[in-house]
Amino acid sequence: MPSASGQQPGGKASRGFLLLAFPELDMQRDIVRKLAASAVLSSATASSPRNKKQPQCVIMFHRRRLSVLQYVLLGIFFGSSVYLWTNRMNLNRPFAIQLLQNKETEENTDGKPDIEELIDDNNSVQPIVDPLSANLCGEATVPTVEPVGIEPFPEFKFDSDEDVDLNRTLDWLDLWNDDANCTKYESRVLKPGSYPQVGALVSFPGSGNSWLRMLLVGITGMFISSVYTGEDTQFQSKANTSYQIPVDCGCTLLQKTHDFSLDAVLYSLPEANRTKTLEEFNGKGILIIRNPFKAIRSYRNFDFTGMVGAAPESAFSGTKWDNFVSRSVAGWETLATVWIRGLKQGGIIYYERLHRETRSELKRLLKMLGLGYDKERLECVLRHTADNSFKRESNQTAQTEFPYTASQRLLIHKAIESVQLALKERGLDPLPIQYYDFFNITPEYGIPT
């Protein structure tokens, strides 16, 4: 039926469709408004007098009486909107299209995949991809960084029988003083400058550095000095001479250090440099790591009594002990992570493994040092590993067996996790926590045993 203006009811909607075909005119709001007005007019014209008396809100529910053309135009409008939105969002093909294509492929092969298509050029069968589990967008490629390994020391051949100089031959080796089969082996200082790039034997205090030094002197026949003058670097020779070995003589295999330069880092001093000692040794060294629960307690004993002996029980409680633990945990973690990440030549020795698997660990250590070994000499070292004058006397009656509080244990656990992460970054073996005493236990903080 024609309207009062002489136009068909769908005239204005037709005009809206023309505008919709040109979205650049940006007149969508006018189109919707005119469509709605046309729908109301059409509904009011076609209704009976009884319906005219109904409130306006009721008339709004009779929009289903729109003409067929108006319904078609509304469908075109919403369809165009969806199309424009997907175009602007730059979406990929819908997943349903992919499923339909897979279905067509299955129908063409009677539900069975083509065997020839599953065999590649190498005659190997390719797996069938399930479209429901396939990632159509592809997986993001994350660049992986291969861990940089630690190279061994350059190969070094040491002839213990060449150029025997009693002034450079050690007159002390308590590994086998009373063993006639082993006293024929000697250890000496090298000729000055013959080993110019000395490596570090670095560890946190109380980690068995002196014990490993003695094992290495015995098995290699080369003296290992210390960077700390006056500690035990007074070389006693078989010529009855005694002298201080210069730090930069280039005449020893390794030099003991605890890298106390890191203390400046812990206290945020102006001269702080995390890699100062590491750079002095050009990233060359052997790092010893011990269970921090045991190393810190041993360091506390050293703080009171020196190389041997034990601290009183009162040294393991109170504010001073708490401060000592806090500083020591930070020092243990910092030293380990700095050297793990910075080592270029050498390797890492775990005290607990060295103590339990001495033979295999010493062989592994010699490979790190670029050295061979004498089997009989190795047997002498293994027979006398307990003859250690630096082994601390136990004092169980005067010390608390486990002196750490819950908060101190939590602090140590977190330091261990940090070192484990550094080891993982370098692709190295993790800490042997299965051998760690006291590593169990902080149920108060939810740490599992």
Side-chain angles (χ1 to χ4, degrees), residues 34-44 62-63 66 70:
K34 291 176 181 179
L35 287 175
S38 176
V40 173
L41 179 61
S42 176
S43 177
H62 289 279
R63 290 183 180 178
L66 295 175
Q70 288 172 334

Side-chain angles (χ1 to χ4, degrees), residues 164 180 209 274 286 309 329 345 347 349 368 371 406 432 446:
V164 177
N209 197 310
R274 297 175 67 88
I286 301 296
V329 171
Q345 293 181 341
I349 289 292
M368 296 178 188
L371 299 171

Side-chain angles (χ1 to χ4, degrees), residues 99 113 130 150 244 298 304 342 416 426 430:
L99 290 179
D130 182 5
I150 304 174
Q244 187 76 40
S298 179
F304 274 79
I416 290 174
R426 294 296 302 268

Side-chain angles (χ1 to χ4, degrees), residues 228 258-266 271-278:
Y228 307 114
H258 294 308
D259 197 357
F260 287 121
S261 67
L262 291 173
D263 289 348
V265 177
L266 301 179
E271 67 273 17
N273 182 357
R274 297 175 67 88
T275 59
K276 180 178 182 294
T277 306
L278 182 68

Side-chain angles (χ1 to χ4, degrees), residues 360-378:
S360 60
E361 286 300 292
L362 285 178
K363 288 181 178 180
R364 189 170 72 90
L365 179 56
L366 289 172
K367 288 183 179 180
M368 296 178 188
L369 297 172
L371 299 171
Y373 66 95
D374 184 294
K375 292 183 179 180
E376 293 184 7
R377 188 164 189 142
L378 174 61

